[in-house]
């Protein structure tokens, strides 16, 4: 019987030799050669993130953090269409007040903060469109590898909100100030190649995404977990300060405030109406 990575680790019985995968509501976790892959499995919703995906991602972070055989975490989406279309608008459109929005935004914000500061290298394997919170998820990872031609965009401003999961704060940490502010304010999509040109994407692969990603990561997984942890701890120390956390969570407060606006409500309604929701 192939243990699920999550179940096996919880019972301390995971058979790590041949790897294993578990497909559940909204996610699939598999581990091969020290690489743990977390796949968002909601292709009919372009891999949009709902509460179930949040909970599964949080559980996966805990296990990867604790498991010495887990050396690198890769996050990707199922199918060819999308990496992640951000928050599930059909679910989160029910949230009307600042308080209701803040509860959801802070839940995912905390998860992305944990991802940002994970003591293992992380990769967003961008298999398709990355939009809104999908770009925030990708930004929280150390590296971004994308399939040639896919489109990415911090489109939140078109919905009359800002990023709400810490994405802007992380982007200002990881990119030159003017490049980060430009892509946030323009709220347009760009190709993987354009994103590589400005330094948001690190590798663009023409095809065979997983194989190419695994080959690229062999240079990391052939190092001891202790060394990987030590370098990541040095890298993320700057983000474990109270001052950074205050900036990170202030973004979430601002998004929650904007969430309440009539403009935001109408923008989401128009997206959903276009799909007769
Ligand atoms: C919660 C806050 C968070 C943050 O920033 O902090 C956010 O992420 S805000 C949300 C930002 N996301 C978006 O605005 C993306 C909206 N979706 C799109 O722009 C397009 O769907 C796109 C570009 C992702 C894909 O376009 P494509 O033409 O390939 O597909 P469709 O638009 O026909 O969509 C197919 C199917 O998926 C459903 N869908 C897509 N995105 C979402 C979403 N974010 N939430 C829920 N459902 C989504 C869409 O409704 C269609 O469903 P169907 O039942 O077939 O009508």
């Amino acid at each position: 019987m192939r243990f699920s990575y999550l179940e096996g680790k919880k019972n301390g019985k995971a058979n790590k030799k041949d790897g294993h995968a578990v497909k559940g509501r909204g996610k699939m976790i598999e581990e091969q050669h020290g690489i743990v892959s977390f796949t968002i499995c909601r292709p009919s919703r372009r891999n949009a993130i709902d509460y179930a995906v949040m909970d599964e991602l949080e559980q996966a972070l805990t296990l990867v953090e604790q498991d010495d055989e887990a050396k690198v975490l890769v996050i990707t989406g199922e199918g060819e269409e999308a990496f992640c279309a951000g928050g599930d608008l059909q679910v989160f459109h029910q949230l009307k007040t600042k308080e209701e929005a803040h509860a959801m935004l802070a839940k995912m914000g905390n998860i992305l903060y944990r991802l940002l500061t994970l003591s293992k290298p992380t990769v967003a394997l961008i298999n398709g469109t990355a939009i809104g919170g999908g770009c925030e998820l990708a930004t929280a990872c150390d590296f971004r590898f994308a399939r040639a031609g896919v489109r990415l965009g911090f489109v939140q401003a078109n919905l009359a909100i800002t990023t709400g999961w810490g994405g802007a704060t992380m982007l200002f940490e990881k990119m030159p100030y003017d490049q980060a502010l430009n892509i946030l304010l323009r709220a347009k999509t760009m190709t993987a190649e354009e994103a590589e040109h400005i330094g948001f994407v690190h590798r663009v692969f023409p095809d065979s995404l997983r194989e190419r990603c695994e080959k690229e990561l062999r240079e990391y997984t052939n190092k001891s977990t202790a060394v990987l942890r030590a370098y990541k701890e040095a890298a993320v120390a700057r983000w474990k300060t109270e001052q950074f956390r205050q900036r990170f969570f202030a973004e979430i407060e601002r998004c929650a405030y904007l969430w309440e606006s009539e403009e935001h409500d109408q923008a989401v309604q128009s997206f959903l109406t276009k799909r007769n929701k």
Side-chain angles (χ1 to χ4, degrees), residues 109-130:
N110 274 297
I111 294 166
L112 289 195
Y113 180 78
R114 285 189 61 195
L115 176 58
L116 174 73
T117 56
L118 196 72
S119 65
K120 305 277 178 78
T122 56
V123 175
L125 188 58
I126 305 172
N127 58 296
T129 304

Side-chain angles (χ1 to χ4, degrees), residues 44-46 48 81 85-90 92 104-105 129 131-134 136 155-156 159 161-165 255 259 271 275 277:
S44 64
R45 290 264 178 105
R46 296 296 183 267
E81 298 280 347
D88 187 324
L89 292 169
Q90 295 175 41
F92 300 151
M104 176 278 291
L105 295 169
T129 304
I131 287 282
E136 298 184 71
V155 299
Q156 288 86 339
L159 296 174
I161 56 174
T162 66
T163 51
W165 292 341
C255 181
W259 189 283
F271 170 81
R275 290 155 182 81
K277 288 291 169 262

Side-chain angles (χ1 to χ4, degrees), residues 2 5 15-20 30-37 67-74 210-211 213-223 225 228:
R2 287 161 65 87
Y5 177 74
N15 160 16
K16 311 288 283 182
K17 291 292 168 288
D18 62 353
H20 27 263
E30 48 195 329
E31 186 273 335
Q32 289 275 358
H33 314 305
I35 299 172
V36 176
S37 296
D67 179 6
D68 278 343
E69 290 179 55
K71 296 197 172 190
V72 177
L73 172 63
V74 173
R210 284 178 182 262
E211 294 72 16
C213 176
E214 195 176 306
K215 184 165 183 284
E216 191 82 24
L217 293 179
R218 257 180 235 137
E219 298 300 325
Y220 301 165
T221 54
N222 64 12
K223 306 302 186 293
T225 304
L228 299 176

Side-chain angles (χ1 to χ4, degrees), residues 16-241:
K16 311 288 283 182
K17 291 292 168 288
D18 62 353
H20 27 263
V22 62
K23 187 162 175 147
R25 188 166 181 279
K27 61 95 183 63
M28 180 172 78
I29 307 264
E30 48 195 329
E31 186 273 335
Q32 289 275 358
H33 314 305
I35 299 172
V36 176
S37 296
F38 181 93
T39 303
I40 304 172
C41 301
R42 304 187 74 221
S44 64
R45 290 264 178 105
R46 296 296 183 267
N47 297 325
I49 292 172
D50 63 0
Y51 292 114
V53 174
M54 290 184 193
D55 291 342
E56 299 288 355
L57 179 54
E58 184 158 35
Q59 193 183 2
L61 291 176
T62 300
L63 286 161
V64 168
E65 186 69 71
Q66 292 166 354
D67 179 6
D68 278 343
E69 290 179 55
K71 296 197 172 190
V72 177
L73 172 63
V74 173
I75 296 176
T76 191
E78 183 174 38
E80 302 280 313
E81 298 280 347
F83 165 71
C84 175
D88 187 324
L89 292 169
Q90 295 175 41
V91 173
F92 300 151
H93 190 45
Q94 318 302 324
L95 308 172
K96 297 300 180 193
T97 66
K98 179 172 60 180
E99 293 73 18
E100 289 169 344
H102 185 267
M104 176 278 291
L105 295 169
K107 176 181 173 69
M108 187 62 183
N110 274 297
I111 294 166
L112 289 195
Y113 180 78
R114 285 189 61 195
L115 176 58
L116 174 73
T117 56
L118 196 72
S119 65
K120 305 277 178 78
T122 56
V123 175
L125 188 58
I126 305 172
N127 58 296
T129 304
I131 287 282
C135 280
E136 298 184 71
L137 173 62
T139 306
C141 293
D142 297 314
F143 303 104
R144 284 160 289 283
F145 299 167
R147 179 158 55 79
V150 300
R151 300 197 70 85
L152 308 89
F154 289 84
V155 299
Q156 288 86 339
N158 301 331
L159 296 174
I161 56 174
T162 66
T163 51
W165 292 341
T169 306
M170 294 186 283
L171 200 63
F172 284 117
E173 291 290 312
K174 297 190 174 188
M175 288 193 67
Y177 170 82
D178 57 332
Q179 295 274 22
L181 189 58
N182 180 49
I183 56 181
L184 291 166
L185 293 177
R186 292 180 69 242
K188 295 256 193 254
T189 63
M190 58 187 146
T191 63
E193 292 77 3
E194 288 162 338
E196 183 184 38
H197 180 68
I198 62 170
F200 182 66
V201 160
H202 302 96
R203 291 283 183 285
V204 174
F205 296 140
D207 52 27
S208 316
L209 222 54
R210 284 178 182 262
E211 294 72 16
R212 291 174 187 273
C213 176
E214 195 176 306
K215 184 165 183 284
E216 191 82 24
L217 293 179
R218 257 180 235 137
E219 298 300 325
Y220 301 165
T221 54
N222 64 12
K223 306 302 186 293
S224 77
T225 304
V227 167
L228 299 176
R229 277 188 197 279
Y231 273 133
K232 269 306 298 276
E233 278 158 18
V236 305
R238 73 181 94 168
W239 297 323
K240 291 192 167 179
T241 64

